[in-house]
Amino acid sequence: MGTIGFANFGFSLKPSKQNLPASHSLVVASKIDADSEENVRVLGRRSAILSGVSLASSTMLGFPKEGLAVVKQGLLAGRIPGLSEPNEQGWRTYRRPDEKSGGHGVGWSPIIPYVFSVPDGWEETPVSIADLGGTEIDLRFSNASEGRLFVIVAPVLRFADYLEDDARIERIGPPEKVINAFGPEVIGENVEGKVINSQVKEYSGRKYYQFELEPPHCLITATAAGNRLYLFNVLANGLQWKRHNQDLKKIADSFRVV
């Protein structure tokens, strides 16, 4: 917010050496009081206008209660909120906002949104290009006591040049090929001998490959849509898995491309 300057209103604060009539002194004093009151009114109007802009901005963004602080937090952090309020079971649904940026390469179409659910207490965390997966990590969530998750969205042309703009995971390959190719991007090492369970599910005509790996405890859901491959990854240490494995499996199973 800019600095508000105060103007010189044409009078001196130093006492004059010239003797002035008392009536003249009263006129000057009256002018000073009137100008001071006008300054207060002008500054008051400026403050009201700025407050109104802050309130209007926060209301348009859907945060009428939090005001300018939330506008700064949401916009300056570069993240657009996409998490719902908790339902009766205490779970919240995240939907990737349509306005969120995240193209991978010049000319790529907008990312088709995805959704998933997490227990209340899971929060979005910043994504760094230094992370394993680099710029293809689209989102991170975590809960210190339960685990963490991240979503990789990668252009399918990186893996196959025949899929065009309506990719399907089955056209990329069978589950074994997919996990061997992409599993190392999730856990940072070869996945041979680490897959303890895999299955194929279908929702609304789209297939999803699901894998369970350990150690570390990792649940991977893979699918494809548009011209991108989606990898939804849920990870936990031993203690987190022991205490929360049912919730972690429910999180992994909730992932859908919409």
Side-chain angles (χ1 to χ4, degrees), residues 48-71:
I49 291 171
L50 291 172
S51 299
V53 170
S54 300
L55 179 59
S57 299
S58 60
T59 302
M60 285 186 292
L61 289 171
F63 306 107
K65 295 182 180 179
E66 286 80 356
L68 184 60
V70 173
V71 175

Side-chain angles (χ1 to χ4, degrees), residues 214-217 235-245 248:
E214 64 174 351
H217 298 273
L235 299 93
N237 60 35
L239 182 59
Q240 290 169 336
W241 182 260
K242 180 179 180 180
R243 293 179 175 177
H244 304 286
N245 67 84
L248 295 170

